[in-house]
Amino acid sequence: MKILWISGLIILSVAACDSQEKVTETAVEPAVAEVAAVVAVVTQTQDFASLMQQAEDLYMQTKVAKHAWLINLDRIKDARLAAEKGDMDTAVANAEEAIKLSRLALNQAESEKSRWQARVPQ
Amino acid sequence: MKWTNLITLLLASMMVASVQADPETDRQALRDFYQQKFPDIDLAEFKNGVYAIDSKMREQWLEMEDFPAYEIAIDEGEELYNTPFANGKSYADCFGDDPGVKHNYPMFDQARGGVVTLEVAINQCRKEHGEAALPWLVGELAEISAYMAYQSRGKSIDIKIDSPEAIAAYDDGEQFYYTRRGQLNFECSGCHQQNVGKMLRAERTSPTLGHTTHWPVYRGRWQYVGNIQKRFQECNIQVRAVPFEAQSETYRNLEYFLTYMSNGMELNGPGSRR
Amino acid sequence: MLRVFESVNNLLLTAGIATALLLATGLVDAQEGAIADNSVEAELAKRIETGRGVFETRRKGNCLSCHLVIGSELPGNAGPPLIGMQARWPDREALKAQIYDPTLRNPDTIMPPYGLHRMLTDEELDVLVDYVLSL
């Protein structure tokens, strides 16, 4: 009888504990999650903005070097469109791709400076 | 030690020599290059582009030339050319009595400090007489140049490069022609020299020599007459490079270089191509 | 005699059943092997087919603009015909490198650097290699 009573008490207290935990969970977690999400979006948007700036600057450099690639226009456009739709992962991926492509185009511009002349018939 | 000094000096002077382009040496070397590549073809034939080196395509082309699609453009161009501007003046006030002046273009304009193509000269003439400039690549401007090209038929290309600034413009065009561009990593010469006469899918590449003899061109794919810089843009786009503006300094210098390569060749424009 | 016969018969029967069973399991085994082989082959065939798509598509490899392969329509000839590739390119990685950046082998080549210039993904290069090796 005594054992039953004790175990009942234990069950009750555990249950109480549990529900207490539940209460705090439901109260605090969404707020944290929300803040975290907002922070994530903000930093991602900031990251994206600076990535995009870099992508556009590098593209302009390829234009000045007369070595711009068409594909780069697509990547920059896709990045912008995805960002407008809020699809930041796609937006970031496209901006990063544009940056890589611009670097390759600039490499081409640089290495060609010393290579073109050898192709002129002598 | 003197020996090494001498050698360094020699090497240095050789490098300077190789950096400074000499247009006439370039032109001769290019002719030699094609003559070796096509020993059986008279280089003068290259004014017919790819049809000089592909007899099957040539037959189809000759059939096309029986009823040339550019004829209407010549007629329209003639009418436009002879219509006086609002101020009573006309193109003849800019170009003289003979509209057949294409063999002199592009020319280096010392006063303006740049290359002037025939199209630029036409629009300059319009502006001097208070008319609006025409769009560069197709339409009335191409028709007027088609008429002027027609009137220039039979004349030999006679481009002059006779100042340091003109040589600099030529150099710039030459460098552009031999520089790889675009994601596909092609240089103009890669297709038109190194691989000249090869098939790219269904298209055979034509020689650089003669590339400027027959413009503007009625192109089957366009279904109208267009100027050469439209073709420059297409060849840039083909290799997935961002094309340049029509009549930008880059394309004007390119056209200057390219036309000089065909110096002495007979003009036979306007032309028709696939 | 009859008994003997019978027992022989029985024996034969048992042997028969045993062999049949053995054979059957063997068959099953063989069949299982065949199924396994088939799926590897089918997988490869699928990759080769995908590779062929990359090879022929203009916005992808567009390799036909320069290379003849047997049965191709309107091939170009700026590059050599691609035949007997397995024999000439025993090293798969070397072949992949040739497509990734052909200027490594020949700085003057007109063939575009498909991998280096990010025209094709790594996965596309892999299936392309499968296809080229099947030529």
Side-chain angles (χ1 to χ4, degrees), chain C residues 42-79:
Chain C
E43 175 64 19
L44 184 62
K46 224 170 74 189
R47 292 171 62 85
I48 288 174
E49 199 46 35
T50 319
R52 192 162 79 104
V54 176
F55 191 90
E56 290 175 356
T57 308
R58 267 169 206 265
R59 297 299 305 174
K60 295 284 184 187
N62 196 18
C63 316
L64 278 179
S65 70
C66 291
H67 292 287
L68 176 148
V69 302
I70 289 171
S72 54
E73 269 174 46
L74 291 179
N77 64 1

Side-chain angles (χ1 to χ4, degrees), chain B residues 180 183 194-195 199 201, chain C residues 56 62 65 77 108-109 117:
Chain B
R180 295 188 163 199
Q183 198 182 18
Q194 189 195 16
N195 285 280
M199 298 299 289
R201 286 247 187 180
Chain C
E56 290 175 356
N62 196 18
S65 70
N77 64 1
D108 289 331
T109 187
H117 278 189

